[in-house]
Amino acid sequence: MKLALTTLFLFLTVTLKVFAQAPEKMSYQAIIRAQDNSLLVNSNISLRIIIHQSTASGTTVYQETHSATTNNNGLVSLEIGTGTIVTGNFSTIAWERGPYFIETQVDIAGGNNFNIIGITQLLSVPYALHAKTAERLVGAAGGTIVGSARATVLPFTTSRSIASTDINNTIECTASATLTLTSGFGSMLVGDTINLEAHNGAILTIQAPSDVTINYNSNGSAKFTSASGNVRFGFLRKTGSNSYIISGQ
């Protein structure tokens, strides 16, 4: 049986366990279909994950394999960074030197006869891993480290509007609360960012009024729902006078 084109859902669910440092793994989900487009359900398969730097066919910086089982809907879930390593070290990938692309290969018989089913560019989620290097400030000339820039962690347990002190820092939500993106918030410039974290069962909601867009939706909202003992990471970036992009939900 040959494998048909597979629909990939990369990092729609990103749940990272709490450690003293940035977790060295990312959640991954894919739906596996056979050549006739039927779902490959309740099947033992093998997956090979390859991370390329710069282009879809660029240098391989990391490669690992997984043995996994699809569910009743043909969905397979795994954590990149926890498989059997073929080459490279996931914890030393320099995410700031991207872009990076994930190539997914599968053997639907569970062996080592892999077929390419997709190559997808990594976008926002690796910033959670990249954050561990945020204290390094790189000079414009020669890449020399010239100082230290470390985000401030801001406790967030009561609903409020966005504030100038949030910009380029980390909102740490440990009790369910809502952050409202007010219209005409001029303190945050286009390109400025805010790191978002929901901890240990808390739900962090980002809400926009009717004249503010979140991911191109007016009056939109985003929720970061954490499980007990876990952290859900996100990333907010301003893209216009009243528009924002949010990832990691």
Side-chain angles (χ1 to χ4, degrees):
M1 181 186 294
K2 295 183 179 179
L3 195 69
L5 182 64
T6 299
T7 302
L8 298 180
F9 298 88
L10 297 180
F11 314 117
L12 292 182
T13 304
V14 182
T15 303
L16 305 178
K17 293 184 178 178
V18 180
F19 292 95
Q21 59 183 10
E24 307 299 345
K25 57 187 177 181
M26 294 184 292
S27 295
Y28 170 95
Q29 294 181 321
I31 290 179
I32 309 299
R33 295 180 181 272
Q35 188 178 25
D36 61 2
N37 205 38
S38 62
L39 294 173
L40 195 69
V41 301
N42 301 320
S43 299
N44 296 323
I45 63 171
S46 298
L47 283 160
R48 181 157 60 193
I49 304 295
I50 304 171
I51 299 180
H52 298 280
Q53 187 177 22
S54 299
T55 68
S57 58
T59 301
T60 296
V61 297
Y62 182 74
Q63 184 179 155
E64 69 179 18
T65 59
H66 290 262
S67 295
T69 303
T70 60
N71 66 12
N72 290 332
N73 299 311
L75 180 71
V76 62
S77 301
L78 55 88
E79 291 179 321
I80 298 175
T82 64
T84 300
I85 297 173
V86 177
T87 184
N89 186 332
F90 190 77
S91 65
T92 61
I93 295 175
W95 297 109
E96 73 275 15
R97 297 179 183 175
Y100 287 92
F101 296 77
I102 280 193
E103 177 182 337
T104 308
Q105 301 179 358
V106 67
D107 181 349
I108 61 175
N112 295 304
N113 185 24
F114 294 102
N115 295 297
I116 297 175
I117 61 171
I119 301 177
T120 304
Q121 182 177 356
L122 287 171
L123 297 175
S124 298
V125 172
Y127 282 99
L129 294 167
H130 181 206
K132 66 183 179 180
T133 62
E135 71 275 7
R136 297 201 301 268
L137 180 62
V138 180
T144 303
I145 297 175
V146 298
S148 176
R150 191 181 299 274
T152 299
V153 177
L154 306 174
F156 188 81
T157 58
T158 303
S159 297
R160 61 171 174 81
S161 295
I162 191 171
S164 59
T165 52
D166 297 329
I167 302 169
N168 297 323
N169 289 318
T170 298
I171 289 178
E172 182 186 57
C173 180
T174 55
S176 297
T178 298
L179 179 70
T180 300
L181 305 178
T182 55
S183 177
F185 181 62
S187 297
M188 191 172 188
L189 303 178
V190 173
D192 282 345
T193 61
I194 298 174
N195 295 318
L196 306 170
E197 296 179 0
H199 289 247
N200 198 30
I203 300 173
L204 172 60
T205 301
I206 311 299
Q207 183 65 52
S210 59
D211 55 349
V212 176
T213 64
I214 293 178
N215 294 348
Y216 310 104
N217 295 308
S218 297
N219 196 30
S221 65
K223 286 185 181 292
F224 297 84
T225 304
S226 62
S228 178
N230 286 292
V231 175
R232 177 66 61 84
F233 291 90
F235 181 81
L236 179 152
R237 178 168 61 87
K238 189 169 186 178
T239 58
S241 60
N242 279 307
S243 60
Y244 300 82
I245 287 177
I246 295 179
S247 64
Q249 300 172 67

